Amino acid sequence: MEMDQLFFSGGQGLARTFVIGVFAYAILVIFMRLAGKRTLARMNTFDLIVNVSIGSVLASTLLIKSVALAQGVFALATLIGLQFIVTWSSVRIGWLRRFITGEPHFLLKQGAFLPKALERARVTEDEVRAAVRSAGLGDIGLVEAVVLETNGSFSVIKKSDGAGASSLDDVKEY
């Protein structure tokens, strides 16, 4: 590549990028709507990988001249189709769901930090305290649990008097 083409290689490349971009964008929007809200939901590791892959395919389709629009569309459809199949299956098969999304884990339980859990999750006590403060609580003694969710967020559960079903039943200890 010559030095003058380093910054601008002519209108043909820009026109191709624009035309492919418009079509690829429209197709991606249609595919994402067909795939459902799960594709756009709060992401766990699996969802992040799929969405980054979709972005990579879109970028490759836009910028690499040897990748035809049909190839890019097929690659997008393949990724979104696989994501749909895996999420559909994980709703119905417990072990697959646990493998794909992981499991929530306690970091603090009944007001006490769980040092091994913090170490395995690579989370500090300060980060847990920050989550407690973000939940509007100033006293760790008022906290039943802090859970590291499958998407990496913290859930802070206040102590309660209720004797109903617990939202903590599926949470694991490291």
Side-chain angles (χ1 to χ4, degrees):
M1 178 178 281
E2 294 181 31
M3 190 56 119
D4 61 331
Q5 290 184 345
L6 185 61
F7 296 104
F8 182 73
S9 61
Q12 185 177 4
L14 293 177
R16 179 196 178 280
T17 300
F18 178 77
V19 170
I20 296 292
V22 168
F23 284 109
Y25 177 78
I27 290 166
L28 180 60
V29 168
I30 291 166
F31 282 173
M32 296 303 269
R33 293 288 297 150
L34 291 173
K37 294 178 183 172
R38 164 66 191 206
T39 306
L40 303 173
R42 229 173 179 189
M43 292 188 287
N44 57 43
T45 304
F46 171 74
D47 297 321
L48 175 67
I49 290 167
V50 170
N51 287 322
V52 167
S53 298
I54 288 170
S56 178
V57 167
L58 183 61
S60 296
T61 303
L62 284 172
L63 299 175
I64 300 174
K65 291 179 182 177
S66 63
V67 178
L69 178 60
Q71 287 175 296
V73 168
F74 184 75
L76 289 171
T78 300
L79 287 172
I80 292 169
L82 287 171
Q83 194 257 1
F84 179 84
I85 290 167
V86 169
T87 55
W88 183 87
S89 300
S90 71
V91 168
R92 289 155 180 81
I93 304 167
W95 68 265
L96 181 62
R97 177 177 51 255
R98 289 186 296 278
F99 177 75
I100 296 296
T101 62
E103 296 177 302
H105 286 93
F106 288 110
L107 299 175
L108 181 138
K109 191 172 181 183
Q110 297 174 342
F113 288 100
L114 304 173
K116 286 185 181 181
L118 292 168
E119 185 179 321
R120 283 193 178 147
R122 296 182 311 278
V123 174
T124 65
E125 288 185 10
D126 290 339
E127 290 172 302
V128 175
R129 284 188 192 95
V132 170
R133 289 190 301 272
S134 292
L137 299 171
D139 183 357
I140 295 245
L142 298 174
V143 177
E144 177 65 28
V146 175
V147 176
L148 178 61
E149 300 292 352
T150 59
N151 64 6
S153 66
F154 298 108
S155 292
V156 178
I157 312 299
K158 295 185 232 178
K159 288 187 177 178
S160 68
D161 302 337
S166 175
S167 65
L168 301 174
D169 287 344
D170 67 333
V171 180
K172 305 294 182 209
E173 290 195 35
Y174 274 109

